[in-house]
Amino acid sequence: MGVQPEPQILFSKAEIAAAVKRLAVEIKKDYQGKHPILIGILKGSFVFMADLVRLLDFPLEVEFIQLSSYGRGRITPGKLKVVQGLRSSIKGRDVIVIEDIVDTGHTIAFLMDYLRKKKPASLKLCALTDKPSRRQVPVNIDYLGFTVPDKFIVGYGIDWDEKFRHLPDICFIEVEE
Ligand code: PRP
């Protein structure tokens, strides 16, 4: 293995816990009694989703979906497709999509279109982090944890080349592009 970049903390686990708590309060206020379905986008959302749902003490369901992006570069979007779909119907249901990071916006724009066609009663987006400096398509984020600078973000579920997902803090790394 070559030299690994050294992650620097951007948001500590205490700051993350406070942000997740804040988001849970907002979501609880809007969805209590509605029995929503939370859809996590794999893989990056798994840590965030696990912490978030444990603060939502009302009935809800969880689902996961995984997309693949063939031939994707950092700037150019690849061709997106769903590789693991939903196991239950969302027709007429209140749906909240859980994402780890909105970057160019292509992934979430594609996914929201895909889900909208399945006729949910409502569809909202909860994102842990947003990197608006790199946006290529407009995205409306209903519940947001942190705005992040144009740096390579890792940790708390987010990877660099499948590494660093396990870090408890949200960090950045300096990498050659
Ligand atoms: C990351 C992240 C978002 C997407 C955001 O996923 O989880 O889904 O990129 O990028 P965009 O706004 O430029 O489309 P990635 O493809 O790295 O997969 P992963 O979640 O499995 O790490």
Side-chain angles (χ1 to χ4, degrees):
M1 266 172 102
V3 179
Q4 293 286 303
E6 191 59 45
Q8 313 285 319
I9 295 178
L10 188 59
F11 299 110
S12 68
K13 52 186 170 184
E15 289 172 287
I16 299 169
V20 175
K21 201 169 169 184
R22 168 175 58 78
L23 293 172
V25 168
E26 289 175 32
I27 291 171
K28 192 171 164 178
K29 183 163 70 65
D30 294 346
Y31 287 89
Q32 197 158 29
K34 289 191 169 175
H35 202 133
I37 303 182
L38 275 64
I39 302 178
I41 310 179
L42 294 171
K43 299 178 192 173
S45 70
F46 81 106
V47 177
F48 175 39
M49 176 113 154
D51 281 347
L52 181 66
V53 292
R54 281 178 289 175
L55 298 178
L56 298 177
D57 52 349
F58 60 86
L60 56 81
E61 290 168 40
V62 297
E63 276 283 346
F64 291 93
I65 198 163
Q66 187 161 23
L67 307 178
S68 79
S69 170
Y70 179 76
R72 173 172 165 202
R74 195 170 114 86
I75 309 289
T76 47
K79 191 165 164 36
L80 285 154
K81 83 172 196 234
V82 175
V83 290
Q84 183 192 310
L86 300 173
R87 304 211 166 190
S88 55
S89 168
I90 60 166
K91 190 171 182 190
R93 300 293 303 271
D94 292 301
V95 172
I96 313 170
V97 173
I98 310 296
E99 177 61 296
D100 57 337
I101 185 160
V102 181
D103 193 311
T104 65
H106 287 289
T107 303
I108 203 68
F110 169 86
L111 186 72
M112 295 308 244
D113 273 357
Y114 173 87
L115 295 175
R116 218 170 273 123
K117 287 183 189 136
K118 297 186 180 295
K119 306 264 187 285
S122 68
L123 181 62
K124 288 199 176 179
L125 172 62
C126 173
L128 175 66
T129 64
D130 179 26
K131 206 190 276 180
S133 53
R134 293 200 358 108
R135 194 73 88 253
Q136 293 179 3
V137 292
V139 173
N140 181 45
I141 303 176
D142 301 285
Y143 306 96
L144 175 64
F146 302 99
T147 299
V148 297
D150 187 9
K151 289 181 177 291
F152 216 107
I153 305 297
V154 296
Y156 198 69
I158 305 171
D159 75 313
W160 171 69
D161 197 19
E162 293 303 326
K163 300 175 189 79
F164 304 126
R165 289 195 200 272
H166 62 289
L167 299 178
D169 310 292
I170 296 173
C171 302
F172 67 90
I173 51 173
E174 306 287 352
V175 289
E176 298 287 323
E177 298 198 25

